[in-house]
Amino acid sequence: MPLMQIYNVMHPVFSIIIPAYNLGHLVCDAINSCINQQNITFAEYEIIVINDGSIDDTYDYIEKYRSVENLIIINQTNMGLSATRNRGIDLAKGDYILFLDGDDWLSENALALLKEQLDETTLLVFPMVYYFNKDRQEKRGYHLSEKLYNRNEFLHETLGYSQFHIIPAQNKCYSRKTLIQRNLRFISGILHEDNPFFISTIYNYEQIKYVDAPIYYYRQNREGSITSTCSIKNYEGVRIGNQAIISITRNANRDINFLLANLLVFQVIGNYSKKEDRKKVFNDFRNIRMKKTLWTLLFISTFRWKHTVRMLLLLIDPALLKYILKIL
């Protein structure tokens, strides 16, 4: 069976990259949402579906779409989400790239809406609709106006006001030229890979535009989702990601420093599935080196009372912060 099918799209406007790992029939929702795009032709976009070494029947479901003319199927040994997305970037031929998780889907007019806004110097950002079930769907925007922002304005209006759900890679439309020329890639082998990727992309676009339309549907509470569990790998991913962010910003932006501090706090208050993982994280926060990091971040971050109180509790002891938040 060939690794990649032959298709007739030579230079599409969009490339939609769909990583899929152990999703079963759910991957059909993602693929169908791409195939059924309205007011745009197949020649204007390609769909790159990458089966990342699934050990269930995910690949069997993907194979059913092999005859779709603008769809490319790739089957690989397991590499992880970051490496899979990176491979998609390298294979993409479209002028613009979208990341679609294999258990999510796009609105039927997503590409037509985005096509009206395209500019390779501008990063397009849009809200995500959190899908819990057919009776509960929440469009979560970012309190932004539909206009152009420079980097500092955008970061302050989002991160500076605790709008951390702006970070995911899936709620943006990227110029492939920018990703390739600036060598913007996800860090392989870690969780929370979207954190450093978000900052690196923001720092490589001249301007950002918010498109206030329900374009992306984000499935919630799926059993087995990596966002539903917490382990030492989560903490390690945040630590590595934070270091990568600091290498870019040099702690010069108070709103990004605010994000860095909160990412650390979130790792303390998370629910760890293993007691030994929680113990390792708590012990690391009791280390003098970490206390110095937290103390520095406290003074170079955007000021928010809630954030400051949590940081002070964490500086005293992570167990105290966890306990206080539990009883509140």
Side-chain angles (χ1 to χ4, degrees), residues 24-42:
H25 68 90
L26 294 179
V27 73
C28 296
D29 290 339
I31 297 174
N32 287 336
S33 75
C34 297
I35 294 173
N36 296 325
Q37 286 295 299
Q38 302 295 305
N39 302 312
I40 194 166
T41 66
F42 270 13

Side-chain angles (χ1 to χ4, degrees), residues 96-111:
Y96 296 89
I97 287 177
L98 293 165
F99 298 107
L100 174 60
D101 282 359
D103 54 344
D104 299 334
W105 61 95
L106 299 175
S107 66
E108 64 181 12
N109 62 344
L111 298 186

Side-chain angles (χ1 to χ4, degrees), residues 85-326:
R85 284 175 172 171
N86 289 341
R87 189 176 187 190
I89 293 172
D90 294 334
L91 293 170
K93 296 182 179 180
D95 292 324
Y96 296 89
I97 287 177
L98 293 165
F99 298 107
L100 174 60
D101 282 359
D103 54 344
D104 299 334
W105 61 95
L106 299 175
S107 66
E108 64 181 12
N109 62 344
L111 298 186
L113 286 172
L114 291 172
K115 186 180 176 182
E116 298 175 356
Q117 308 289 341
L118 296 178
D119 174 359
E120 69 178 25
T121 66
T122 302
L123 179 66
L124 299 181
V125 180
F126 40 86
M128 301 172 85
V129 178
Y130 284 59
Y131 180 90
F132 295 87
N133 54 56
K134 65 179 181 179
D135 298 318
R136 183 187 174 194
Q137 302 174 42
E138 300 175 7
K139 176 189 167 188
R140 298 186 183 177
Y142 312 103
H143 307 297
L144 296 171
S145 301
E146 285 195 304
K147 67 174 187 178
L148 293 173
Y149 294 85
N150 65 40
R151 179 203 308 156
N152 289 335
E153 289 173 335
F154 182 78
L155 291 172
H156 184 66
E157 293 299 319
T158 55
L159 301 185
Y161 288 91
S162 302
Q163 301 292 309
F164 302 131
H165 57 297
I166 195 71
I167 291 173
Q170 309 97 294
N171 67 342
K172 302 171 186 73
C173 179
Y174 307 84
S175 161
R176 182 172 65 90
K177 179 180 178 181
T178 300
L179 297 185
I180 297 297
Q181 290 186 346
R182 307 294 175 83
N183 194 29
L184 302 178
R185 297 294 187 274
F186 296 89
I187 299 175
S188 294
I190 69 168
L191 298 179
H192 305 292
E193 65 285 330
D194 284 358
N195 297 337
F197 186 75
F198 169 70
I199 299 301
S200 63
T201 52
I202 290 294
Y203 267 66
N204 280 280
Y205 277 88
E206 294 180 12
Q207 53 194 10
I208 302 99
K209 184 171 185 179
Y210 180 55
V211 181
D212 191 20
I215 287 173
Y216 192 100
Y217 284 78
Y218 181 30
R219 191 187 303 271
Q220 298 297 292
N221 303 328
R222 179 178 69 82
E223 184 177 354
S225 170
I226 60 174
T227 58
S228 65
T229 59
C230 189
S231 72
I232 193 67
K233 290 184 178 180
N234 293 85
Y235 176 62
E236 292 170 347
V238 166
R239 288 289 306 276
I240 293 171
N242 278 12
Q243 291 170 7
I245 291 171
I246 292 171
S247 71
I248 297 170
T249 68
R250 304 299 178 185
N251 287 131
N253 184 287
R254 298 185 68 86
D255 299 307
I256 295 177
N257 295 338
F258 183 61
L259 167 68
L260 296 175
N262 277 279
L263 288 173
L264 292 174
V265 170
F266 294 157
Q267 297 313 298
V268 170
I269 64 180
N271 294 316
Y272 287 86
S273 56
K274 295 180 180 179
K275 290 183 178 179
E276 55 266 34
D277 286 353
R278 182 180 62 193
K279 183 178 180 180
K280 289 178 182 177
V281 172
F282 279 25
N283 284 340
D284 198 44
F285 275 91
R286 291 174 178 132
N287 186 287
I288 294 297
R289 171 188 49 80
M290 176 59 82
K291 287 184 178 294
K292 288 182 178 179
T293 297
L294 294 171
W295 191 254
T296 300
L297 285 174
L298 179 61
F299 283 97
I300 61 175
S301 297
T302 300
F303 178 79
R304 295 285 181 268
W305 275 111
K306 182 178 178 180
H307 159 72
T308 301
V309 171
R310 289 192 308 190
M311 286 285 283
L312 291 173
L313 290 171
L314 181 55
L315 279 162
I316 296 172
D317 191 81
L320 177 63
L321 171 62
K322 182 86 171 181
Y323 175 76
I324 294 295
L325 292 179
K326 184 177 181 180

Side-chain angles (χ1 to χ4, degrees), residues 20-76:
Y21 176 72
N22 287 357
L23 298 174
H25 68 90
L26 294 179
V27 73
C28 296
D29 290 339
I31 297 174
N32 287 336
S33 75
C34 297
I35 294 173
N36 296 325
Q37 286 295 299
Q38 302 295 305
N39 302 312
I40 194 166
T41 66
F42 270 13
E44 295 178 271
Y45 68 101
E46 64 177 358
I47 310 162
I48 304 174
V49 186
I50 306 177
N51 175 48
D52 187 31
S54 297
I55 57 177
D56 64 354
D57 56 357
T58 298
Y59 187 66
D60 296 332
Y61 282 102
I62 295 172
E63 270 290 290
K64 295 177 181 179
Y65 296 91
R66 185 163 287 279
S67 62
V68 177
E69 61 186 89
N70 66 336
L71 188 142
I72 307 143
I73 296 174
I74 298 173
N75 191 34
Q76 66 185 29

